[in-house]
Amino acid sequence: MPSKWATVKTAGDNVKKRVSTWPQKVSDVAKGEFHVNGDNNTIQETSSTADDKAYHQNAVVVAYLLVQHIMGAAQSTGYGNGPVKINVDPNSIKVILRVEEEGASQSCSVDSVSVVLESSTGTQRSIFYSLGEVLLILFSRHETITPQCRTTLLSRQESLNERREGANCAADTFDSFQDTMQRALLFLDLEEGGGDTMMDDLYNLPEKRERTTMTPSTFSTICANYPTLPMSVCRLIADVMEGTNGGVALTKTSFTSLEEVLEDLKRMMFEPNVFLHNPSDPKIDFGSRLYGREEETSTILSVVDGISSGQGSGALEIISVHGYSGSGKSFLVNQIGRYLSTKGWIFLEGKFDRMRQSNAPISVMMSAFENYFVTLESIKCWGGSDDLSYCYKVANKITEALGPDGIDSLSRVIPSLNRLVGIEVTDNDRDGNHQSNIVRMGEESTMYEQRIEYLLCALVDAILSVGRPILLLYDANTKWEGLVESQFLQKLLKHIADRASSREHLLFIECCGKKESEGLDTSTIASHDSVNVSRIDIGEFSKPALNDAISYALRLPPRVTAPLSEIIHIKTMGNIMFVIEFMKSLEKSNMLTYNLSERQWVWDTDIVPLQRISDSVAGLLMSKLLNLNKSVLDCLIMASCFGSQINMPIMELLDGLRGVTNIGTNLDIGVEEGILEKAGPLYMFSHNSLQRTVYEITPQNIRNQLHLDIGSTLISKSASAPQEVIEELFSVALSHINKSLPNGENGQPNEINLSPSQRGVFAKLNLKAGQKAISNSADFALAKFHLNAGMAFLPEQCWHDQYDLAFNLHIEYANVLLVQREYEELDTHCKVLLLKARCVEDQIKIHELLIAYLFRSGKFPEALEHVRSVLDTLGFPLPTTVDKDTVRAVLEALRNAASGFTPEQMRTFPLMTEEVPKQAMKIMGSVPILLTFSSPTFAAMIACQMTQLSIQHGLCAESAVAFGNLGFAINSVLQDFNCGYAMGNLGLAIFQRFKSNTLILKTYLPIFGFLKSWKEPLQSCSEGLCYAVHEGSLAGDRGSVFLAKAVLNRHLLVNGCKLSELRMKQESLCREMMYNKQEKKFGAFFYQSLGDLYTILSLIGEPDDRVASIFISREECEKALLENYSSTKNTSVLQLFYYHRFIQSFAVRDFETALNYCEEYDKLGSGIIARITDVATVFFSGVIGFVLARKTKQDGMLDIGEHRRMQLQMWADHGSKWNAENKALLLQAEKYYTTGNLDQAKASYEASVKSAREHKFINEEALAYELYGIFRVETGHLDNGKELLRKAQSLYAEWGAMKKASEVFPLILDILPNTDILGNVSHAVSQRVEPDKVLQTVSDSTQY
């Protein structure tokens, strides 16, 4: 252990833990002294040597504990209440040390100081003065108090005593000879390990001292005699010596209680660089500290702890931080983010910029994740092995989730992503969906936006699944203006909440204004059962918090700064921006000065209140700005036109514009004034309010001209700009040119005079910029900004002189309105545009947008009329009457025409080259899959028309959709399954030729959802649908994805997928549909999918409560389905309603009810196996027919069973043996049992069980065992029946149908006629006896 206190490496750790008000992590965040890569948070060096600093810090701890113990001992013995004299036993003062060893190093920390006080007689001295001398000896490090110094101090003490008596102050005395306490310190014992004492070299003071007349103040005397002591220590000792316990200070800064002494020592102990050591620069410095936000910090860190430890709620944590501008909300979260960066977290920030052209959340989030990948690049350079492993895992997860095409797409908007995963971005897109030179229109644009959204969600999932926690800050500070802006962020957060692997590793914090309307609407997110939303309101500083901040800024104890803080709080109402600016104004007006002799800040509390201050942030900042030199202010005004961030290489190109010169120098002055901050070549306004205030100094019309001048100058000087900023330069220049347009506020006229040629150039630049924003980044908000500006720049005679430019701007703008779902404006815009269109080709483009909008709005009849109208215009009209007979006739003709084609021929079939048929195919190809279910006859006719065009004019990408839907129509209407299957294969061959993933779901869904199952295993059909769903999601075809997922999940139910997994998939689908409820075309399909979910719950036996709390109840869902059918007459809606009721009734063996629902189901359909739901109804109704034929002897039941058996047998013989064999065998067994052929029945049951097992239908294997077991029990083979039912129960449980599994054994109550048996078994079941024991009851009863 070190022999001297001065060499102790850490002192007072245990004491700090005991006396700290807040946990250490909260204090660390407040201090802001943690080191983050790239930060420069080095602590200022003081004039003291390192040895002195260590000694003084240790001395503070000893002093703190000594004062604390004296207070406690005096109170416990009743001393200190009067003129009682106190002795200190020299042997009783001990310092208890704690030694900790790590490897070869040792550290020692003070644990406690103890002292025993006794009453004695003798000369009385003030406890404060006596304590002051002890502290002086302690801090002066073994130096002797000279007689002259001590005489001066005692003279000052006598003078104060006289003042105290004159003021009738009660003097609290410390009855002890000072030498006693000094000697006591000589016996400080280092109990742990022995060694020399700290005070070994202290002198022995003479026992008697002469008192002389007081000359200088106590502070100046100590400073003069102890020049090596820090000023703060001199001030502390002087104020202690001059203190009194009477509650009235004898000087402005003297102590009035020992509690105050403790508080000062505590601050020195916790913040030695601020309150103990001498500063190297005595400027007013609020530093990087976080003031007065301990409670808010603690709240956020408690959430952080839950995420870090994995012991939290497991929900997605969202914190919404609200506060007025300048309240410090952004600084609070940034400080916490920087702190967490040192604890293994990753801190990302997406910041709103008022001057940015696009602030759509998707754009801001992309910017945040661009910074994430830049951070990972740094981690790869300087990180340890764990960091490198993390980067490797993230790269693998992203590659796995997105694939090459997805990475290629996202790398265009998040360039650093490519550098992490190492996949080169190419201009030639693999599937043709995002080539930069393709202008997307209509539904393609919508899909492209949805593609980027999906990829961003998948990217977030991949990153969060690695497990490293992320704090994502969305610094909005604005009111959401549009629908789309908030919806994406809400959907992203809900998407994360749906996935446990993602939500458990993210903390999302949003900073926004004080009003309820500002920021993200969290009400819809909060309703999610896996989301916790907290709100923190950041108010203005309280008086104690403000005093704390001023105390740190001036490096003075709070008790000293309290009077000043009181005045400043009244003046500023606690707004920290006001506070900082007001204190700077005090300094400039010399009301707050640094006294070199006292080495501290001083002020006159009588004069400070005279300083005026504005009553608003803007007024305060304006006053500050107007005091700047004109050249600096002009430069700042120009800089403010760029927004919150300025790139110096671009700004320098403006040197000389409007007389603004020396830009770099002037911006640096802005940094010195605290208006700007600097990071490399970037300058940033220190707060949004500053940028806004500077920007608004100039009147609007002059500002518009300034923007135009800036933009024009940048373009003219682009040749001299650095190559790395060229692209940014043109973007910035165009942004300035656009901002020169009047915004229409207050009826402001257009005062910018431009020639028609200038207007044409600016309009064309904006058109290109808008198209680029869509093609490269799917930033439709940015595109809208440019297109709006482009239309505003168009000359008056544009439709006559520059038609192409005018039309392209307007059609692109209409396209953006479609994507952003601004349908009302779109409708008006397109109607006007139709009047301007010169040719049919342009009119078709407009109609294409209108058709897409009408379908998306759920206005199917109007959309179909537009389709008819366009096809008529193109010369490919649909039949006037589209009914079943017409469709049948056309289908039969096409079947004959297309049946001779083979997939090989489709791979070499001539391509469609004529533009008019291409346009017709594109229009018909835009019809959503949903039409197949809502208007099957019209959908069939569309498929026929598309197929005819493909055969007559050649193939295009949409031809794959045509043949796929033709096959489905042939199946449904003509019941020619082989031909339908063949048409599906033709469609797949065409798709493989074009590989247009935007059409993959429209092609794959009818083929793998309905055609392939006729010939191929259902499991492989599900795999095909899974692939299509994945690729369709990557393509952005969200509408088709939802429908395909619904069909896929119905496949999985029939296939025997684990119900627990299927339940999660189905709930996830319902959530996705709910999140996209603005897509009205999904309304009915949402209720159908929710009905599927409730059906799954019935099989599992799970109560409806949780699902009902998320969505709506089962009853409300069914009511909504019936209402939808009533209004639309869409038979598929009602058919699925009966399907759900049928499955649920069958599962509980309510066979008669189930059969009734099946009959209603068949009436609405064809009664054939055309869809996956038909498989279940045919199979289960066959079982019901045979069971009821045996049980009830009803007429026609046997015929029903036989008819269903023959349907399945035909499917097994001519279609798919894999899918149908076990079903046909089970119905055959039921038929044999019903007709009395028991041996054949037994063989067929066993064959059905074997077939179901081999073909991996666990649900149907369970059903076969159940029916087989019932057969054996009913025919008197109880033991064998018992084993078979046990097997059925096990398989049902393995499948996940727990309710069904629990009901297997009670079936015996319905099987055996013996009343005694029934009674025994009923009693066993009622007592919740295990199933095996129930069976034993049956066995025992039958043996009896």
Side-chain angles (χ1 to χ4, degrees):
M1 178 181 153
S3 60
K4 296 289 185 182
W5 269 82
T7 61
V8 174
K9 296 180 181 178
T10 59
D13 291 347
N14 300 319
V15 179
K16 290 181 182 180
K17 291 178 182 178
R18 289 203 304 268
V19 303
S20 177
T21 306
W22 296 96
Q24 184 62 42
K25 58 191 176 186
V26 176
S27 301
D28 290 343
V29 171
K31 290 179 185 178
E33 293 180 354
F34 36 80
H35 175 71
V36 182
N37 189 50
D39 285 350
N40 185 18
N41 293 327
T42 54
I43 301 171
Q44 293 178 332
E45 188 61 45
T46 69
S47 58
S48 303
T49 64
D51 185 60
D52 288 335
K53 291 167 76 173
Y55 179 86
H56 291 145
Q57 288 175 203
N58 294 334
V60 167
V61 177
V62 175
Y64 181 91
L65 291 170
L66 185 60
V67 173
Q68 188 182 53
H69 194 86
I70 290 173
M71 288 174 58
Q75 291 172 1
S76 63
T77 57
Y79 300 140
N81 297 322
V84 181
K85 293 173 284 184
I86 302 176
N87 281 338
V88 179
D89 181 356
N91 296 308
S92 69
I93 301 179
K94 297 181 179 181
V95 178
I96 309 301
L97 297 179
R98 178 169 297 177
V99 180
E100 298 177 0
E101 295 188 12
E102 290 187 8
S105 64
Q106 284 186 325
S107 63
C108 179
S109 60
V110 178
D111 189 56
S112 67
V113 172
S114 61
V115 62
V116 177
L117 304 179
E118 298 176 347
S119 59
S120 64
T121 59
T123 304
Q124 298 179 7
R125 295 220 187 278
S126 164
I127 186 172
F128 287 95
Y129 178 80
S130 302
L131 179 60
E133 283 206 3
V134 172
L135 296 180
L136 180 58
I137 295 171
L138 174 63
F139 280 100
S140 61
R141 206 172 184 182
H142 316 306
E143 291 190 16
T144 303
I145 299 180
T146 63
Q148 182 181 356
C149 175
R150 196 164 194 279
T151 300
T152 303
L153 293 174
L154 290 173
S155 297
R156 173 69 170 170
Q157 181 69 13
E158 287 182 357
S159 174
L160 291 175
N161 286 337
E162 293 173 1
R163 184 185 306 177
R164 180 187 301 121
E165 292 173 2
N168 294 319
C169 296
D172 179 28
T173 60
F174 184 88
D175 182 43
S176 168
F177 198 84
Q178 181 63 31
D179 300 327
T180 306
M181 292 195 71
Q182 292 163 352
R183 290 194 187 98
L185 287 173
L186 294 175
F187 293 90
L188 289 172
D189 180 23
L190 305 181
E191 289 191 346
E192 298 285 345
D196 296 332
T197 65
M198 178 181 178
M199 306 298 290
D200 279 346
D201 299 324
L202 285 179
Y203 68 101
N204 290 320
L205 291 176
E207 295 190 2
K208 295 183 180 180
R209 299 175 176 83
E210 296 181 1
R211 300 188 180 186
T212 60
T213 305
M214 182 192 74
T215 46
S217 68
T218 305
F219 174 74
S220 60
T221 301
I222 296 173
C223 289
N225 286 274
Y226 298 91
T228 61
L229 282 182
M231 289 294 103
S232 60
V233 173
C234 295
R235 189 178 303 108
L236 170 77
I237 296 172
D239 289 347
V240 169
M241 287 181 171
E242 295 175 350
T244 175
N245 208 32
V248 177
L250 299 180
T251 65
K252 285 185 177 181
T253 60
S254 61
F255 290 104
T256 60
S257 69
L258 287 176
E259 285 82 358
E260 288 184 348
V261 179
L262 276 182
E263 184 61 31
D264 273 25
L265 288 170
K266 180 179 176 181
R267 287 186 176 267
M268 288 182 172
M269 183 164 52
F270 279 97
E271 299 284 353
N273 293 308
V274 177
F275 295 106
L276 177 59
H277 307 308
N278 288 331
S280 59
D281 185 1
K283 66 180 181 180
I284 298 176
D285 184 16
F286 285 89
S288 60
R289 286 193 61 89
L290 184 63
Y291 301 102
R293 303 301 182 199
E294 290 84 0
E295 185 174 345
E296 293 86 350
T297 301
S298 180
T299 298
I300 295 175
L301 289 183
S302 65
V303 176
V304 166
D305 287 343
I307 296 174
S308 298
S309 65
Q311 302 300 314
S313 64
L316 170 62
E317 297 288 351
I318 299 176
I319 300 177
S320 186
V321 182
H322 291 253
Y324 291 114
S325 177
S327 59
K329 52 187 178 295
S330 299
F331 185 70
L332 164 68
V333 183
N334 271 278
Q335 192 86 326
I336 292 174
R338 291 177 59 242
Y339 166 75
L340 292 179
S341 297
T342 68
K343 304 298 181 182
W345 280 61
I346 291 178
F347 174 47
L348 303 178
E349 180 182 12
K351 187 172 180 60
F352 173 89
D353 185 347
R354 197 174 64 91
M355 297 296 291
R356 185 187 291 164
Q357 301 164 19
S358 170
N359 275 294
I362 189 169
S363 177
V364 176
M365 287 297 100
M366 286 176 181
S367 174
F369 281 99
E370 169 67 13
N371 293 334
Y372 168 79
F373 290 112
V374 170
T375 301
L376 291 196
E377 288 185 55
S378 300
I379 289 177
K380 288 171 69 176
C381 295
W382 54 261
S385 58
D386 289 344
D387 293 320
L388 294 176
S389 175
Y390 171 74
C391 293
Y392 175 77
K393 289 177 181 177
V394 168
N396 283 346
K397 287 285 187 180
I398 291 174
T399 303
E400 179 183 331
L402 303 185
D405 288 345
I407 291 172
D408 186 34
S409 289
L410 271 191
S411 293
R412 298 173 186 275
V413 295
I414 308 177
S416 296
L417 166 62
N418 177 62
R419 292 196 288 273
L420 175 71
V421 299
I423 297 179
E424 184 178 356
V425 178
T426 63
D427 290 331
N428 298 319
D429 177 47
R430 295 174 178 80
D431 59 16
N433 290 329
H434 58 270
Q435 292 176 349
S436 59
N437 61 340
I438 288 181
V439 179
R440 297 169 181 80
M441 296 297 295
E443 194 64 23
E444 281 190 5
S445 288
T446 302
M447 289 174 61
Y448 184 57
E449 181 211 33
Q450 293 170 355
R451 169 185 175 86
I452 296 299
E453 285 186 8
Y454 172 82
L455 290 172
L456 189 57
C457 289
L459 175 71
V460 172
D461 285 340
I463 292 171
L464 292 174
S465 67
V466 178
R468 192 164 186 170
I470 291 178
L471 167 57
L472 178 56
L473 166 63
Y474 189 83
D475 197 353
N477 277 311
T478 186
K479 178 179 179 179
W480 296 104
E481 298 293 345
L483 176 69
V484 177
E485 280 83 348
S486 61
Q487 283 179 347
F488 167 71
L489 203 50
Q490 289 177 349
K491 285 190 287 188
L492 175 63
L493 293 174
K494 291 175 181 177
H495 172 88
I496 294 171
D498 285 342
R499 290 154 178 80
S501 60
S502 297
R503 65 174 180 257
E504 293 174 354
H505 303 119
L506 178 69
L507 171 57
F508 180 86
I509 300 182
E510 178 202 26
C511 288
C512 47
K514 191 72 174 177
K515 297 178 181 177
E516 291 291 339
S517 59
E518 294 179 312
L520 182 66
D521 179 11
T522 57
S523 59
T524 57
I525 304 174
S527 63
H528 195 293
D529 57 322
S530 295
V531 173
N532 284 336
V533 178
S534 307
R535 173 170 175 140
I536 296 177
D537 286 290
I538 301 293
E540 310 298 3
F541 276 4
S542 64
K543 290 181 181 179
L546 178 59
N547 188 37
D548 188 53
I550 294 175
S551 168
Y552 278 91
L554 300 182
R555 294 175 175 266
L556 291 170
R559 61 186 174 81
V560 176
T561 59
L564 176 64
S565 299
E566 178 79 19
I567 299 169
I568 294 177
H569 191 274
I570 295 173
K571 286 281 189 178
T572 64
M573 299 303 293
N575 185 296
I576 189 62
M577 285 187 64
F578 274 45
V579 170
I580 294 172
E581 295 305 322
F582 183 67
M583 290 186 68
K584 288 180 179 179
S585 70
L586 290 176
E587 184 182 7
K588 285 186 176 181
S589 59
N590 292 322
M591 293 183 182
L592 179 63
T593 59
Y594 188 77
N595 188 306
L596 292 176
S597 62
E598 294 187 14
R599 298 186 187 181
Q600 73 173 48
W601 289 92
V602 295
W603 59 90
D604 189 329
T605 53
D606 294 328
I607 298 178
V608 169
L610 301 179
Q611 180 73 352
R612 299 183 64 183
I613 184 171
S614 172
D615 59 356
S616 68
V617 174
L620 177 67
L621 298 178
M622 185 66 72
S623 176
K624 174 186 178 72
L625 294 170
L626 294 178
N627 286 325
L628 293 173
N629 183 284
K630 184 178 184 302
S631 62
V632 176
L633 181 58
D634 289 344
C635 185
L636 290 174
I637 290 173
M638 188 174 291
S640 71
C641 293
F642 286 79
S644 61
Q645 182 171 292
I646 306 101
N647 194 336
M648 190 58 186
I650 294 178
M651 182 77 177
E652 283 178 328
L653 296 175
L654 302 177
D655 197 79
L657 178 64
R658 294 199 171 195
V660 175
T661 57
N662 300 319
I663 290 178
T665 302
N666 287 326
L667 291 182
D668 287 337
I669 293 175
V671 174
E672 293 174 4
E673 292 290 332
I675 298 171
L676 299 175
E677 296 173 352
K678 185 177 181 181
L682 299 180
Y683 287 84
M684 295 142 297
F685 281 90
S686 56
H687 196 277
N688 291 336
S689 297
L690 279 166
Q691 184 272 331
R692 183 166 57 251
T693 302
V694 175
Y695 183 68
E696 293 174 353
I697 287 177
T698 308
Q700 177 72 53
N701 58 337
I702 299 176
R703 202 160 63 223
N704 290 346
Q705 186 63 51
L706 177 58
H707 276 299
L708 183 61
D709 293 345
I710 291 173
S712 301
T713 303
L714 289 178
I715 291 177
S716 66
K717 292 188 176 182
S718 59
S720 60
Q723 188 64 35
E724 62 271 15
V725 299
I726 287 293
E727 185 175 353
E728 181 185 354
L729 182 146
F730 278 104
S731 175
V732 169
L734 187 56
S735 173
H736 280 288
I737 290 171
N738 292 342
K739 290 189 178 77
S740 70
L741 291 167
N743 57 18
E745 293 178 359
N746 303 319
Q748 176 190 330
N750 189 340
E751 299 183 17
I752 303 299
N753 295 318
L754 298 172
S755 67
S757 61
Q758 284 178 307
R759 287 182 169 277
V761 169
F762 292 159
K764 188 176 294 184
L765 287 174
N766 274 294
L767 174 61
K768 291 182 178 180
Q771 291 173 335
K772 183 179 179 181
I774 295 173
S775 297
N776 286 5
S777 60
D779 193 340
F780 289 88
L782 177 58
K784 185 178 181 182
F785 171 82
H786 283 299
L787 296 170
N788 239 328
M791 291 188 294
F793 277 121
L794 285 171
E796 289 185 8
Q797 301 300 317
C798 62
W799 288 104
H800 182 269
D801 300 334
Q802 295 176 293
Y803 172 81
D804 289 341
L805 175 60
F807 180 80
N808 288 333
L809 275 167
H810 282 79
I811 195 70
E812 288 284 2
Y813 183 74
N815 188 45
V816 170
L817 293 176
L818 171 69
V819 173
Q820 296 196 317
R821 294 182 286 280
E822 298 180 31
Y823 297 142
E824 186 174 344
E825 183 181 353
L826 172 64
D827 188 60
T828 303
H829 184 83
C830 285
K831 287 176 181 177
V832 173
L833 192 55
L834 278 171
L835 299 176
K836 301 285 188 180
R838 287 181 179 178
C839 59
V840 172
E841 194 173 302
D842 288 345
Q843 291 175 354
I844 297 301
K845 291 179 181 178
I846 301 170
H847 280 294
E848 183 182 344
L849 294 175
L850 287 171
I851 290 169
Y853 132 64
L854 291 169
F855 275 130
R856 294 189 74 187
S857 302
K859 300 177 180 179
F860 278 44
E862 294 178 50
L864 294 177
E865 283 305 311
H866 270 277
V867 171
R868 273 185 175 277
S869 175
V870 171
L871 292 178
D872 287 345
T873 303
L874 293 174
F876 302 107
L878 293 172
T880 306
T881 303
V882 180
D883 54 25
K884 292 182 179 180
D885 293 335
T886 305
V887 170
R888 176 177 288 275
V890 174
L891 282 174
E892 287 176 346
L894 269 178
R895 177 174 60 178
N896 296 331
S899 58
F901 292 119
T902 64
E904 290 72 21
Q905 289 176 305
M906 292 296 102
R907 297 186 183 103
T908 58
F909 200 86
L911 298 180
M912 189 177 291
T913 57
E914 302 169 67
E915 286 302 319
V916 175
K918 280 184 177 180
Q919 288 179 330
M921 289 291 285
K922 187 174 183 180
I923 290 294
M924 290 186 286
S926 69
V927 173
I929 306 176
L930 192 59
L931 192 70
T932 304
F933 305 99
S934 61
S935 302
T937 53
F938 197 97
M941 186 55 69
I942 290 285
C944 291
Q945 184 79 302
M946 293 177 72
T947 305
Q948 285 178 334
L949 283 176
S950 299
I951 294 173
Q952 294 170 5
H953 297 275
L955 300 180
C956 61
E958 287 79 9
S959 299
V961 179
F963 279 90
N965 283 301
L966 176 67
F968 178 71
I970 289 174
N971 258 20
S972 303
V973 179
L974 303 183
Q975 301 181 28
D976 189 342
F977 300 110
N978 288 325
C979 181
Y981 177 76
M983 293 301 104
N985 285 335
L986 294 180
L988 285 178
I990 297 170
F991 178 83
Q992 291 301 319
R993 185 173 179 180
F994 291 93
K995 294 184 178 178
S996 177
N997 273 9
T998 56
L999 298 173
I1000 188 170
L1001 279 168
K1002 290 184 176 180
T1003 304
Y1004 272 53
L1005 181 55
I1007 295 173
F1008 284 93
F1010 307 105
L1011 301 179
K1012 286 281 188 180
S1013 57
W1014 174 249
K1015 288 285 189 179
E1016 299 177 14
L1018 283 171
Q1019 290 87 346
S1020 66
C1021 297
S1022 299
E1023 291 172 1
L1025 283 174
C1026 281
Y1027 171 75
V1029 165
H1030 176 71
E1031 293 299 316
S1033 298
L1034 289 175
D1037 191 2
R1038 185 163 59 206
S1040 299
V1041 165
F1042 290 163
L1043 304 185
K1045 282 185 175 181
V1047 173
L1048 170 61
N1049 289 349
R1050 289 174 194 148
H1051 265 258
L1052 295 175
L1053 179 61
V1054 174
N1055 293 351
C1057 170
K1058 293 292 180 63
L1059 289 178
S1060 57
E1061 297 176 8
L1062 183 56
R1063 183 221 178 284
M1064 293 175 60
K1065 293 176 185 289
Q1066 192 66 30
E1067 181 181 328
S1068 176
L1069 172 61
C1070 291
R1071 286 183 186 273
E1072 289 181 72
M1073 288 184 168
M1074 183 174 65
Y1075 302 159
N1076 293 275
K1077 59 185 177 183
Q1078 74 277 4
E1079 303 278 2
K1080 296 182 180 179
K1081 63 184 179 182
F1082 298 129
F1085 220 80
F1086 165 72
Y1087 297 121
Q1088 294 177 35
S1089 298
L1090 184 56
D1092 290 337
L1093 177 56
Y1094 276 120
T1095 299
I1096 295 169
L1097 295 185
S1098 297
L1099 294 173
I1100 295 175
E1102 178 183 335
D1104 292 353
D1105 298 355
R1106 181 177 176 276
V1107 170
S1109 68
I1110 299 172
F1111 308 106
I1112 57 176
S1113 68
R1114 187 190 297 256
E1115 293 73 20
E1116 291 173 314
C1117 176
E1118 291 184 340
K1119 180 181 178 182
L1121 280 172
L1122 294 175
E1123 288 176 350
N1124 182 269
Y1125 170 73
S1126 178
S1127 61
T1128 64
K1129 302 304 179 186
N1130 182 354
T1131 56
S1132 66
V1133 173
L1134 188 58
Q1135 196 172 27
L1136 201 65
F1137 167 80
Y1138 288 128
Y1139 169 75
H1140 293 149
R1141 288 284 186 92
F1142 169 74
I1143 295 297
Q1144 293 164 23
S1145 299
F1146 179 80
V1148 297
R1149 297 182 67 83
D1150 185 359
F1151 289 153
E1152 292 186 355
T1153 302
L1155 192 58
N1156 290 334
Y1157 286 131
C1158 185
E1159 290 173 355
E1160 296 297 328
Y1161 176 93
D1162 287 343
K1163 289 177 184 177
L1164 298 168
S1166 57
I1168 61 172
I1169 306 174
R1171 294 178 294 180
I1172 196 66
T1173 53
D1174 298 332
V1175 175
T1177 55
V1178 168
F1179 180 34
F1180 295 152
S1181 63
V1183 172
I1184 292 172
F1186 289 122
V1187 171
L1188 292 182
R1190 292 195 304 270
K1191 295 291 185 183
T1192 66
K1193 311 299 182 183
Q1194 295 180 38
D1195 293 338
M1197 291 297 107
L1198 187 60
D1199 293 337
I1200 291 175
E1202 177 60 12
H1203 174 65
R1204 298 308 199 189
R1205 185 195 67 78
M1206 291 177 64
Q1207 285 182 287
L1208 291 171
Q1209 191 61 55
M1210 183 187 70
W1211 186 18
D1213 293 341
H1214 303 288
S1216 173
K1217 179 181 177 181
W1218 181 285
N1219 296 333
E1221 182 187 60
N1222 71 291
K1223 301 173 181 65
L1225 284 171
L1226 187 57
L1227 291 188
Q1228 182 67 60
E1230 286 289 295
K1231 176 186 176 181
Y1232 282 141
Y1233 178 28
T1234 303
T1235 57
N1237 297 315
L1238 302 186
D1239 292 339
Q1240 292 92 330
K1242 181 175 181 297
S1244 295
Y1245 280 124
E1246 291 174 351
S1248 175
V1249 167
K1250 180 181 178 183
S1251 177
R1253 184 185 309 116
E1254 290 176 349
H1255 299 146
K1256 306 183 187 307
F1257 295 111
I1258 186 174
N1259 51 331
E1260 293 173 3
E1261 184 184 359
L1263 177 61
Y1265 269 116
E1266 179 187 351
L1267 295 177
Y1268 188 17
I1270 292 173
F1271 162 72
R1272 295 296 284 171
V1273 171
E1274 289 182 339
T1275 55
H1277 302 84
L1278 292 178
D1279 291 339
N1280 183 226
K1282 171 183 175 179
E1283 294 302 320
L1284 294 172
L1285 289 174
R1286 180 182 289 111
K1287 186 63 176 176
Q1289 183 190 44
S1290 175
L1291 289 171
Y1292 278 131
E1294 185 179 348
W1295 180 35
M1298 305 310 296
K1299 182 176 181 181
K1300 182 66 178 174
S1302 67
E1303 294 174 348
V1304 168
F1305 290 102
L1307 289 176
I1308 300 175
L1309 299 176
D1310 298 326
I1311 297 172
L1312 299 176
N1314 188 315
T1315 55
D1316 292 333
I1317 297 176
L1318 290 176
N1320 293 337
V1321 173
S1322 297
H1323 176 73
V1325 172
S1326 67
Q1327 296 301 313
R1328 301 182 181 272
V1329 177
E1330 293 296 325
D1332 284 353
K1333 296 181 179 179
V1334 174
L1335 283 173
Q1336 187 60 48
T1337 301
V1338 174
S1339 179
D1340 294 343
S1341 298
T1342 52
Q1343 290 175 4
Y1344 175 80

